[in-house]
Amino acid sequence: MATTIVMPKLGMTMTEGTIEEWLKKPGDAVEQGEGIATISSDKLTSEVEAPEAGVLLNITKEVGEEVPVGEVIGFVGHEGEEVSETASTLLEEKEEKPEALSQQAAPKETVDPLMNQKQDGPNRKRRISPAARKKAKELDINIATIEGTGPKGRITRRDVERAVEQKEVAVTKEQVEETVVERPIKTSNMKGLSAMRKSIAINMQESLANTAQLTLHRKADITELIAFQKKLREEADQNNIEIKLTITVFLARAVTLSLLDHPEVNTHLIDDMLQQYEAVHLGIATSLDNGLVVPVVKHAERLPLGSLARQIQGVTEAARAGENVEMSGSTFTITNLGAHGIEYFTPILNPPESGILGVGTFMKEMELDEHEKLQTMIKLPLSLTFDHRVLDGSPAAVFLRKIVHYLENPYLLLL
């Protein structure tokens, strides 16, 4: 009997995923554990693996379609084996049955008129998923005008969204033609946002719309920190200790200690209620090929420098590999653009946090020492964005100064 392939649950909050790409087509041989499709949620992208060896018999969901967790997206079985009508439509019947029962029991005047019409022609009954029906109702779209692209002409949520897009394009075109005729702008390609990109867009827009953000800039002299880092790396190598002591690790430790010294920054403002945390849960902004995620190091205040380094390496590598890693609950975030040569920038708050630290690239500067002699200093640009509803400029500046103090006195990071 054919084995079902279902939409997996990538994270605790995931309710549906999007089919990004089918890596195999019906009829292709597959090995158990081999990737057969790429899916994405609002935070992660991952591959769906074949549950057993055999042949990909059938695909029930198309690229771009949003599928609830646990719903069947395809079948794997033996070559020549047929997927029964019952098996391939079992989930559809399960979704449609409650609605049919509800319509049977409803008063006559509330029954959908499409139910009593012929099953062919323009007024035929439409197969539509519950998610698509809900979306059509929200957007006030007549499902009779939508052509379904799902199995057996079933209307999917993506079909509804596509109908809205086409309607908006038509309206916009009509308005332009009525007002002024302009030279058309040529476009090389048009495509919709990925699930991850849409999530980032929504979060960033909400962050700017719902907070009062202000950014402070200053540099830290990390000349001694660089020497300290080199010394620790040498000690680790001599003692066969595998550890990745990056500048981000020292920054994370400095931020953690500063948050313990200034707990008013380690806060969330939710519904006019300010929640202050004793624990420090650090978000480490991590860039991916197709977006940005913020894996979280929980209880950074409990971790000495070495353990903190391993935790940061672990969560960032897992995030880049598309593995299931904690992405929520951070109380403060660090984002680093130094590798791209950026000096100062204005990071956007990661809601509902009250602060985020942006880190730039190393800068060499010549300064006079206490003996009036020129010396080369290594400076690190820092950009602190904070929510002015929670903090005023002065305490925010004191907090940033504290971070600089720890970076300029690196031995304190071990205490």
Side-chain angles (χ1 to χ4, degrees), residues 327-381:
M327 297 282 187
S328 60
S330 56
T331 59
F332 190 93
T333 294
I334 298 173
T335 178
N336 193 334
L337 291 179
H340 302 285
I342 300 300
E343 297 178 1
Y344 293 104
F345 59 105
T346 305
I348 298 176
L349 287 175
N350 183 22
E353 297 170 15
S354 298
I356 180 171
L357 182 70
V359 185
T361 191
F362 294 177
M363 303 168 64
K364 288 186 177 181
E365 296 182 358
M366 299 295 293
E367 289 188 3
L368 293 173
D369 63 14
E370 57 184 5
H371 303 295
E372 300 295 320
K373 292 184 178 181
L374 278 176
Q375 60 178 350
T376 301
M377 315 290 285
I378 302 175
K379 298 294 184 74
L380 184 68

Side-chain angles (χ1 to χ4, degrees), residues 233 243 299 369 373 384 404:
R233 283 177 171 175
I243 190 169
H299 289 288
D369 63 14
K373 292 184 178 181
L384 174 69
V404 171

Side-chain angles (χ1 to χ4, degrees), residues 295-316:
V296 182
V297 175
K298 291 295 184 73
H299 289 288
E301 80 283 356
R302 300 177 183 175
L303 302 175
L305 197 64
S307 298
L308 184 60
R310 294 185 180 91
Q311 284 288 317
I312 291 174
Q313 182 180 359
V315 297
T316 54

